[in-house]
């Protein structure tokens, strides 16, 4: 769980690659969807749409962003139908060990999603909370992006997050061409 922009989708894709490398999943591809990708406009059509999304992710990762929105409606809401179908699809013997389903949403609302069907709690046992980035972390991300893409970024102003980005390979951070946190070589 976590707020938008905290890296949940990126990590879901990385999990697919990790699971493939470990031999847990045959392919490890990522199928990212949300309520619109699972819920049809009419009752009775949602189950087929949910199963189609589920099948497209077999041997990989099905990532459902903002999954909590599936549990928002009342009893007749098609989101509940999607949840029930997903629980059924996950429980089928032929699907076991062929898919990793990752659900994401706002921390306060994901508890309601898990409570929407008794089968969800047993299928989603681990919760990873993605904290919001601090301003310092955002600056470091921007600097790394700029350096990785050979962009010249202006130096940081005094009193703002950190100092100026260094030039040349960083001695303290292996694998980093130029580190935004460490002083340039010779300026220790």
């Amino acid at each position: 769980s976590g707020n938008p922009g905290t890296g949940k989708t990126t990590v879901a894709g990385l999990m697919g690659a990790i699971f493939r490398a470990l031999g847990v999943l045959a392919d490890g591809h990522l199928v990212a969807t949300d309520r619109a990708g699972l819920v049809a406009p009419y009752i009775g059509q949602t189950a087929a749409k949910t199963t189609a999304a589920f099948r497209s992710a077999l041997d990989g990762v099905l990532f459902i962003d903002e999954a909590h929105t599936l549990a928002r409606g009342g009893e007749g809401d098609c989101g509940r139908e999607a949840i029930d179908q997903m629980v059924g699809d996950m429980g089928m013997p032929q699907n076991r060990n062929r898919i990793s389903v990752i659900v994401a949403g706002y921390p306060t609302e994901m508890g309601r999603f898990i409570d929407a069907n008794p089968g969800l709690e047993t299928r989603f046992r681990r919760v990873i909370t993605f904290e919001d980035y601090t301003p310092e972390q955002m600056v470091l991300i921007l600097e790394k992006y700029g350096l990785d893409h050979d962009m010249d970024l202006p130096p940081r102003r005094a009193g703002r997050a950190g100092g100026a980005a260094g030039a040349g390979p960083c001695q303290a951070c292996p694998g980093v061409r130029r580190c935004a946190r460490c002083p340039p070589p010779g300026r220790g």
Side-chain angles (χ1 to χ4, degrees):
S1 64
N3 289 321
T6 54
K8 298 177 301 291
T9 307
T10 301
V11 170
L14 292 171
M15 292 304 299
I18 291 168
F19 289 155
R20 179 179 179 210
L22 293 172
V24 174
L25 295 171
D27 184 37
H29 67 287
L30 175 69
V31 174
T33 192
D34 57 11
R35 180 184 172 96
L38 301 174
V39 174
Y42 303 105
I43 293 175
Q45 296 177 337
T46 293
K49 191 171 183 179
T50 299
T51 295
F54 190 87
R55 285 185 182 151
S56 71
L58 284 176
D59 299 320
V61 173
L62 176 62
F63 175 73
I64 304 171
D65 198 12
E66 297 187 7
H68 61 273
T69 62
L70 295 170
R72 279 191 180 158
E75 280 302 312
D77 181 69
C78 294
R80 302 269 179 173
E81 183 183 352
I83 292 171
D84 295 343
Q85 186 62 42
M86 182 177 56
V87 169
D89 288 341
M90 290 173 73
M92 297 180 85
Q94 67 266 30
N95 294 334
R96 289 199 183 120
N97 302 321
R98 289 197 57 205
I99 190 168
S100 174
V101 179
I102 299 174
V103 293
Y106 296 117
T108 56
E109 296 190 45
M110 286 306 290
R112 280 178 273 192
F113 168 75
I114 296 297
D115 292 340
N117 182 300
L120 290 175
E121 189 172 6
T122 61
R123 286 166 176 82
F124 296 104
R125 297 181 194 160
R126 289 197 170 66
V127 175
I128 299 172
T129 301
F130 289 74
E131 300 294 334
D132 292 340
Y133 291 108
T134 65
E136 172 66 20
Q137 290 169 325
M138 291 301 295
V139 169
L140 292 172
I141 290 168
L142 174 64
E143 288 176 340
K144 180 171 180 352
Y145 181 86
L147 293 172
D148 288 350
H149 293 87
D150 295 321
M151 298 168 73
D152 289 323
L153 299 175
R156 295 191 200 181
R157 288 185 269 155
R160 298 295 212 129
C170 179
Q171 303 302 314
C173 305
V176 177
R177 277 189 320 177
R178 293 180 283 171
C179 178
R181 292 176 287 156
C182 302
R187 289 195 205 161

